[in-house]
Amino acid sequence: PPVLEAFVGQEYVYQVSADDGANDVLEYGLGGSKPDAMTIDPDTGAITWTPLPTDPASYQLVVSATDGAGNQGQQEFDLFLTNVAPAAAITGAPAAGAEGAEISLAAQVTDPDSDSFTYSWAVLKDDSPYETGSDSTFAFTPDDGDADYVVSLTVTDDDMGTGEAVPVTILATNVAPTIIVEGGDTIAEGAEYSLTLGTITDLGQDTVTQWTV
């Protein structure tokens, strides 16, 4: 049977087979509404074609086999061109990050159609929705404490073909706070020494409840 489906950017091959019962040498031909770039080998009957994104979506083909006496047989069939979905991957993902530190990612997409794409990013923090995005690049900032962040990416081309990247998991870890303490460089023996608690910084925005000198 004929190969009835072709894919954009991938070589289409159909090997025509014919037999007139007399072992005559046959000459093969191709007609119908075939694309200009589609060819058939007149000696072997091999049809080849690499579809382009701009090619029409369907064709009505007529294949012929003719013997030396001019006797001819034909095969008619419809060929349909199918979009190839994009292949997507997430790049730039570290295995681990720190709370409060931005993580920047990018989409890597391959598509034989050279389509335009829409992007859908989603982040789960410990299995709960955390953040989304819709550009080719994406950044998010882990918040407080140790947690697993799972990042997924779906890419859709303008022919509605959809590709999903392999999700990546990033472990964000807690970062200890920093405290600025102000006080004199020297003190007299027996005198009281005073310290002033200055700025407290915590990337995860934790509340500092106590500190020890």
Side-chain angles (χ1 to χ4, degrees), residues 80-154:
F80 298 94
L81 183 58
T82 299
N83 175 56
V84 177
I90 298 171
T91 63
E99 63 173 3
E102 185 178 76
I103 296 173
S104 296
L105 307 171
Q108 178 179 315
V109 184
T110 56
D111 186 274
D113 296 7
S114 300
D115 289 319
S116 57
F117 308 105
T118 58
Y119 303 87
S120 177
W121 297 85
V123 181
L124 298 179
K125 176 188 177 182
D126 291 337
D127 297 325
S128 296
Y130 183 72
E131 198 161 334
T132 60
S134 58
D135 294 322
S136 60
T137 58
F138 175 67
F140 73 99
T141 302
D143 61 8
D144 183 53
D146 297 336
D148 284 327
Y149 293 82
V150 178
V151 184
S152 61
L153 168 65
T154 300

Side-chain angles (χ1 to χ4, degrees), residues 175-179 197-203 205-212:
V175 178
T178 59
I179 304 175
L197 179 63
T199 303
I200 301 174
T201 302
D202 185 87
L203 293 177
Q205 320 235 328
D206 288 316
T207 300
V208 176
T209 58
Q210 62 180 16
W211 57 282
T212 304

Side-chain angles (χ1 to χ4, degrees), residues 2-205:
V3 179
L4 303 178
E5 187 175 24
F7 298 90
V8 172
Q10 300 179 12
E11 185 180 38
Y12 169 87
V13 178
Y14 169 40
Q15 177 60 59
V16 179
S17 178
D19 183 3
D20 70 347
N23 293 321
D24 289 330
V25 175
L26 302 177
E27 181 178 355
Y28 295 92
L30 179 63
S33 60
K34 77 176 189 68
D36 292 338
M38 179 179 284
T39 61
I40 187 170
D41 188 309
D43 298 320
T44 67
I47 297 176
T48 57
W49 173 48
T50 300
L52 299 175
T54 55
D55 285 328
S58 65
Y59 301 88
Q60 292 181 322
L61 303 181
V62 179
V63 179
S64 63
T66 306
D67 65 16
N71 299 309
Q72 185 180 90
Q74 291 186 341
Q75 180 186 59
E76 299 182 11
F77 62 95
D78 294 330
L79 175 64
F80 298 94
L81 183 58
T82 299
N83 175 56
V84 177
I90 298 171
T91 63
E99 63 173 3
E102 185 178 76
I103 296 173
S104 296
L105 307 171
Q108 178 179 315
V109 184
T110 56
D111 186 274
D113 296 7
S114 300
D115 289 319
S116 57
F117 308 105
T118 58
Y119 303 87
S120 177
W121 297 85
V123 181
L124 298 179
K125 176 188 177 182
D126 291 337
D127 297 325
S128 296
Y130 183 72
E131 198 161 334
T132 60
S134 58
D135 294 322
S136 60
T137 58
F138 175 67
F140 73 99
T141 302
D143 61 8
D144 183 53
D146 297 336
D148 284 327
Y149 293 82
V150 178
V151 184
S152 61
L153 168 65
T154 300
V155 177
T156 304
D157 65 21
D158 49 17
D159 295 314
M160 301 309 294
T162 299
E164 294 186 359
V166 176
V168 297
T169 299
I170 302 170
L171 173 62
T173 55
N174 182 62
V175 178
T178 59
I179 304 175
I180 297 175
V181 178
E182 298 173 348
D185 295 332
T186 60
I187 186 173
E189 183 178 356
E192 183 180 74
Y193 181 70
S194 297
L195 291 173
T196 301
L197 179 63
T199 303
I200 301 174
T201 302
D202 185 87
L203 293 177
Q205 320 235 328

